[in-house]
Amino acid sequence: MSSNKGSVKPPRKLTAKEPHEMSHAEKLRLIDDELNAFYKYCQQAGFTEEEMDIICQPLVAAMRRSWLQLVFQASLILIGIGTLICLAGQLDFVGAHFSALGRLVMIKLLPVWNWQPLYYENCMMNNPFYQDYPISEEDCVACEALESIDRLSDVRYRQLVDNYFSRDAPAIITDAMHSWSAMNTDFFWFENITQLYLENERLMETVPCALTSNLRTGSSDLAAFLRRVHSPGVAKWFVHWQNCDINAVKVLRKYYQRPYFLSSTVSPAHFNWVLMSSDYNSPNYKRVELDSGLIALAQLRGATQLRLTPINPCNSSCPELIADLHQGEMLVFTNLMWNLEYAPMRGLDNIAILTETVWEEET
């Protein structure tokens, strides 16, 4: 090794500031300057690339160990968080809330990324073992003999489970809401529901997971729609929307109660819907896209004509069921077998609340 290596002066200190007086950017710039000065010093001293690798090996090894430790710690944290989320998601009510939050996030992403074509696409590759329908033709024996929707009163929970829910048969309970205080008072439903949303900041910020109406407001915002129908000059309209945000679900619960015929072991509704119309008449039914579970449609004001259509492949062997739901009545069914459609009654102001509940059949 050449003796002139010791004649080159080492890099000098580039700043007179104390370390505690420097900002983070100044510290990084100081380190960068000193490393560059050290590199030039080694070059001027005549060190070869191999000798410089040996000199810098402790620094490189320390940096590699520090980086690996950081990656390992971050991986452990992410694995722990992911495990907790997966475990929590196994609980029905937590899973329902995760689903609601996921829908809200996807709705917020629409202005940035239009994922809707992907939502309606089938699998990227055809799976020969995949079945399109959650039921088979063998399941259709449950509905092929139904001719109408039974109307019941003073019904018991076990009677509903044995004769209706376990057979996927719908029923209308005519005395379902006799004990509800809101049904026995002069309650202005339109005004109360619209004011409930327009005067509550948390509800104003919620976005329905689904909203369908004949009125065009230029926005999918529920508050914009409610402001429009709140004015007296708007007539002949309908709307239905799904509350999947937990704050909106909880607030709307104040307008309905657990039906007397349901057991206390049945969990509360995880999602709820509002169906409203004013003097709206159309020959076309409106489809309500429901998740699977126990469905309860409570008619609070007015009347609604409803239609239950069998899900494919049972639509070829089971009949459509059509019935009128009057004020104070409730339709209940498990929707594994049925699609729900409705038509508001002409000349009336109609309001109904629909609840979706996780349903696990009891033995």
Side-chain angles (χ1 to χ4, degrees):
M1 187 177 297
S2 174
S3 61
N4 64 349
K5 294 179 181 178
S7 63
V8 180
K9 294 182 180 181
R12 61 184 179 84
K13 192 175 182 179
L14 300 179
T15 180
K17 285 186 178 181
E18 295 295 328
H20 66 274
E21 297 176 344
M22 293 185 292
S23 65
H24 182 69
E26 289 177 332
K27 291 178 181 179
L28 291 177
R29 187 166 56 252
L30 174 62
I31 294 174
D32 185 62
D33 291 343
E34 290 188 344
L35 287 175
N36 285 327
F38 178 72
Y39 178 75
K40 293 178 180 179
Y41 165 75
C42 291
Q43 283 185 325
Q44 293 173 3
F47 288 101
T48 64
E49 294 292 335
E50 292 77 10
E51 291 172 333
M52 291 174 64
D53 287 341
I54 295 173
I55 294 172
C56 295
Q57 184 61 36
L59 176 61
V60 173
M63 292 179 64
R64 184 179 292 114
R65 285 195 301 271
S66 177
W67 182 82
L68 290 175
Q69 289 176 354
L70 181 62
V71 172
F72 180 72
Q73 292 173 355
S75 300
L76 286 180
I77 293 173
L78 291 176
I79 292 173
I81 294 175
T83 302
L84 290 176
I85 292 175
C86 291
L87 291 175
Q90 301 304 310
L91 302 174
D92 289 334
F93 69 95
V94 176
H97 295 162
F98 282 168
S99 175
L101 291 174
R103 293 186 184 188
L104 293 173
V105 170
M106 296 306 291
I107 291 172
K108 294 290 187 182
L109 283 176
L110 277 175
V112 180
W113 172 43
N114 184 13
W115 46 262
Q116 295 179 91
L118 294 176
Y119 178 82
Y120 294 105
E121 281 289 335
N122 293 323
C123 297
M124 295 178 64
M125 298 178 62
N126 291 327
N127 183 352
F129 302 103
Y130 175 74
Q131 295 183 351
D132 278 339
Y133 312 113
I135 56 177
S136 64
E137 292 184 1
E138 296 179 355
D139 298 316
C140 301
V141 296
C143 62
E144 62 184 5
L146 294 177
E147 297 179 353
S148 62
I149 302 177
D150 291 346
R151 309 181 83 89
L152 311 172
S153 63
D154 192 24
V155 68
R156 296 294 177 262
Y157 176 67
R158 181 48 55 184
Q159 177 187 356
L160 282 175
V161 172
D162 293 341
N163 296 332
Y164 294 92
F165 295 163
S166 62
R167 297 169 47 206
D168 295 305
I172 293 177
I173 314 301
T174 58
D175 59 351
M177 297 178 282
H178 286 182
S179 62
W180 293 12
S181 58
M183 300 299 297
N184 301 318
T185 58
D186 188 14
F187 196 74
F188 299 99
W189 285 96
F190 281 151
E191 291 80 358
N192 279 272
I193 289 182
T194 53
Q195 289 179 3
L196 173 71
Y197 278 82
L198 296 177
E199 295 176 0
N200 189 313
E201 292 184 2
R202 299 183 71 179
L203 291 184
M204 286 277 286
E205 296 176 355
T206 62
V207 179
C209 287
L211 186 150
T212 302
S213 174
N214 65 312
L215 297 182
R216 299 184 182 275
T217 61
S219 170
S220 60
D221 185 9
L222 177 61
F225 175 87
L226 293 176
R227 290 191 190 97
R228 182 168 179 183
V229 299
H230 194 56
S231 61
V234 179
K236 299 185 182 300
W237 55 267
F238 86 91
V239 66
H240 63 254
W241 74 84
Q242 181 193 40
N243 291 313
C244 55
D245 181 88
I246 186 60
N247 295 318
V249 172
K250 286 183 176 180
V251 171
L252 193 64
R253 284 177 184 164
K254 66 184 293 187
Y255 291 107
Y256 62 88
Q257 303 169 19
R258 177 189 289 271
Y260 75 86
F261 51 80
L262 284 187
S263 169
S264 59
T265 59
V266 179
S267 61
H270 57 280
F271 296 144
N272 49 40
W273 295 69
V274 177
L275 290 70
M276 299 196 304
S277 67
S278 179
D279 191 22
Y280 187 82
N281 180 48
S282 171
N284 300 318
Y285 285 86
K286 316 303 176 188
R287 171 72 66 88
V288 182
E289 299 292 344
L290 300 172
D291 294 330
S292 60
L294 177 63
I295 307 302
L297 176 61
Q299 190 70 35
L300 304 176
R301 287 292 184 269
T304 297
Q305 185 175 79
L306 54 90
R307 180 172 69 182
L308 296 177
T309 59
I311 295 175
N312 200 340
C314 295
N315 54 354
S316 60
S317 56
C318 295
E320 293 182 344
L321 302 179
I322 298 176
D324 293 340
L325 194 66
H326 300 285
Q327 182 171 309
E329 297 180 340
M330 180 181 294
L331 169 72
V332 290
F333 67 101
T334 54
N335 67 330
L336 178 66
M337 191 77 66
W338 306 98
N339 288 318
L340 174 65
E341 299 173 317
Y342 76 97
M345 289 292 189
R346 183 176 184 178
L348 297 176
D349 288 340
N350 306 303
I351 297 183
I353 290 179
L354 183 149
T355 60
E356 299 176 88
T357 303
V358 174
W359 173 250
E360 296 179 357
E361 185 175 332
E362 299 181 7
T363 58

